[in-house]
Amino acid sequence: GIQVEQSPPDLILQEGANSTLRCNFSDSVNNLQWFHQNPWGQLINLFYIPSGTKQNGRLSATTVATERYSLLYISSSQTTDSGVYFCAVERGGGADGLTFGKGTHLIIQP
Amino acid sequence: GAVVSQHPSWVICKSGTSVKIECRSLDFQATTMFWYRQFPKQSLMLMATSNEGSKATYEQGVEKDKFLINHASLTLSTLTVTSAHPEDSSFYICSAGPRDRTYEQYFGPGTRLTVT
């Protein structure tokens, strides 16, 4: 099956700093999503981005499908950004389910 | 965005009993829903695909007789953990996506199962 690797596994930053999270995947995909898992376990949809670039406030993401990687950028970090960020992909057309990376555990210190 | 709910949020049961978890799409219809399991400090692992009107398909290593899935309507899928044991204690999460849009998946809030 498809492999998804996220880096770094852990990241500790001061409030106000910028960060870049990376997701590499081993095969072509029709779906790539970034999620933030909050302390209660809820997965919050950040981006649906199988290709191209998107921005939403302080967050932006870029996927270069031909090179099989995606980047999530967080600018001007806030303590509420802390948590686990997951990248997940799907090869098929919505019928295969998502394959998740192991996540990046982000801690923003005040 | 689309909304997916789960019930219950958490459940504690005794070893050997069965537990049913519901997953509902609140504002869209879903012919396919997915069930995932997440152990503490680990990632999500796909368990099975729930198909409305047909049998579920299970990932390799997931016991279909232990994790019964029923997708009785276009807005409801249920996961029943039969004869639960302590090793089944986990966080169970479902997802679904509106088929008239992209392939984007939306996740329920999860159900934390503890088997004593």
Side-chain angles (χ1 to χ4, degrees):
Chain A
I2 194 167
Q3 306 296 315
V4 182
E5 294 184 358
Q6 291 187 243
S7 60
D10 301 282
L11 187 58
I12 302 175
L13 298 171
Q14 294 296 122
E15 200 168 20
N18 301 328
S19 58
T20 300
L21 282 57
R22 186 177 180 102
C23 172
N24 292 333
F25 45 98
S26 62
D27 208 337
S28 59
V29 298
N30 282 315
N31 179 2
L32 188 147
Q33 293 182 243
W34 283 97
F35 299 94
H36 177 208
Q37 189 168 37
N38 68 20
W40 298 271
Q42 173 77 64
L43 284 167
I44 308 299
N45 287 43
L46 297 178
F47 294 102
Y48 168 79
I49 188 166
S51 64
T53 298
K54 290 185 178 180
Q55 180 158 5
N56 184 5
R58 295 182 296 104
L59 274 60
S60 64
T62 295
T63 298
V64 183
T66 53
E67 297 186 23
R68 298 179 186 167
Y69 74 88
S70 183
L71 301 173
L72 176 68
Y73 305 96
I74 305 174
S75 64
S76 304
S77 299
Q78 300 175 359
T79 55
T80 52
D81 294 331
S82 296
V84 183
Y85 290 80
F86 287 107
C87 167
V89 303
E90 181 190 9
R91 289 202 61 198
D96 295 344
L98 292 170
T99 299
F100 280 76
K102 293 186 176 182
T104 292
H105 187 196
L106 176 64
I107 297 174
I108 305 298
Q109 296 178 332
Chain B
V3 181
V4 177
S5 71
Q6 276 184 248
H7 178 79
S9 300
W10 58 270
V11 58
I12 302 173
C13 70
K14 291 185 181 294
S15 187
T17 61
S18 296
V19 174
K20 180 184 285 188
I21 302 170
E22 294 184 348
C23 175
R24 294 182 185 273
S25 55
L26 298 186
D27 52 1
F28 65 96
Q29 293 183 334
T31 55
T32 303
M33 292 182 173
F34 301 96
W35 289 95
Y36 297 81
R37 181 167 53 184
Q38 184 180 29
F39 292 107
K41 299 192 183 301
Q42 294 188 22
S43 187
L44 282 77
M45 295 294 293
L46 179 66
M47 296 176 64
T49 302
S50 173
N51 302 298
E52 190 270 337
S54 64
K55 290 184 178 180
T57 55
Y58 293 81
E59 296 301 300
Q60 193 172 7
V62 177
E63 300 175 57
K64 62 179 182 180
D65 294 331
K66 181 167 192 60
F67 298 99
L68 300 180
I69 291 173
N70 184 18
H71 196 145
S73 77
L74 288 173
T75 59
L76 173 64
S77 174
T78 60
L79 170 69
T80 301
V81 184
T82 63
S83 187
H85 289 97
E87 56 265 32
D88 298 323
S89 298
S90 187
F91 191 55
Y92 293 88
I93 316 173
C94 69
S95 79
R99 294 307 299 273
D100 58 346
R101 300 187 200 174
T102 63
Y103 303 134
E104 185 171 8
Q105 289 290 304
Y106 294 85
F107 283 77
T111 297
R112 197 164 302 279
L113 170 64
T114 302
V115 185
T116 61

